Amino acid sequence: MQNQINNISKLAKDKHKENKSFFTKLKKKPPKQLDYLMQELHEEEFKRTDCLECANCCKTTGPLFTDKDIQRIAKHFKMKAQQFIETYLHLDEENDYVLKSVPCTFLGNDNYCSIYDVRPKACSEFPHTNRKKFQQISNLTMKNVAICPAAYNIVEEMKKRIQL
C-alpha cells in the first residue's frame, strides 16, 4: 500500500490524458446503470482498501466545511461557530471555508481522525466514487485519483468495464 501511496501522483499523471478522454465521453453518453456500477466498484474496492493505512487525503488536502459542518463540529468542541472558524479555518479564493493548514489538524499519528463521528461531509463522502450522477463530478474524480489509491483503482476498473 505504501508503495502505491508514494507513487499515486505519478500514476495519475501517467493516466491523466486517458482519463480525461474517458470522462469526456462518459459525460456525453453515460451508461444507464452507471450509478449501480459505481456503487458496486466502490464497495468492492473498500473491501480491499483500509483508509487507516493511507490517510493521504487527510495528509495532502483539506475538505470544504459547510455551515452545517462548522455548527456540528463547533458544538462537539463546545465552541461557538465563530471561535471554531477563527481557530481552524480560513476562506479560500472561492470563498469556501477550508482548514488553515494540511495535514488535517484533526488527523492523529495513527491516521485516526479525532472528530471522525462529526467530520465534515466532504470527508465522510470522500472519494465520492459512489455518488449518484457520477459522470457530473469527473473533474473532482480526476483530482481524487491523484490523491486516493482507492479512487485510482476504481477508475481503472471502471474503464475496463465500461466501453465508450
Side-chain angles (χ1 to χ4, degrees), residues 79-94:
M79 299 170 96
K80 298 255 185 251
Q82 191 56 40
Q83 185 185 4
F84 177 78
I85 291 168
E86 289 168 6
T87 305
Y88 298 105
L89 308 178
H90 74 95
L91 283 171
D92 68 5
E93 56 280 347
E94 291 162 15

Side-chain angles (χ1 to χ4, degrees), residues 13-100:
K13 197 173 187 176
D14 291 347
K15 296 280 186 171
H16 182 79
K17 200 171 181 178
E18 179 184 311
N19 288 347
K20 190 171 173 94
S21 172
F22 178 81
F23 282 119
T24 300
K25 292 174 188 172
L26 187 70
K27 266 186 181 174
K28 289 178 184 168
K29 195 170 191 273
K32 281 186 172 55
Q33 302 297 315
L34 180 62
D35 289 344
Y36 295 107
L37 174 64
M38 294 314 299
Q39 186 72 41
E40 181 184 321
L41 293 176
H42 180 90
E43 287 172 10
E44 285 174 10
E45 181 59 34
F46 282 98
K47 284 178 186 170
R48 294 186 297 269
T49 300
D50 179 1
C51 293
L52 291 173
E53 288 182 24
C54 178
N56 201 41
C57 51
C58 307
K59 293 172 184 174
T60 61
T61 63
L64 299 180
F65 285 73
T66 66
D67 290 338
K68 279 184 175 180
D69 293 331
I70 293 167
Q71 294 296 328
R72 185 178 61 255
I73 300 166
K75 184 179 177 184
H76 172 78
F77 284 120
K78 297 176 177 50
M79 299 170 96
K80 298 255 185 251
Q82 191 56 40
Q83 185 185 4
F84 177 78
I85 291 168
E86 289 168 6
T87 305
Y88 298 105
L89 308 178
H90 74 95
L91 283 171
D92 68 5
E93 56 280 347
E94 291 162 15
N95 237 17
D96 292 315
Y97 280 111
V98 296
L99 290 169
K100 285 183 180 178

Side-chain angles (χ1 to χ4, degrees), residues 23 126-128 131 134 136-147 151:
F23 282 119
F126 192 84
H128 312 285
R131 191 186 277 184
F134 177 79
Q136 294 178 350
I137 60 162
S138 58
N139 290 345
L140 178 61
T141 303
M142 294 278 288
K143 288 178 185 172
N144 292 345
V145 159
I147 298 165

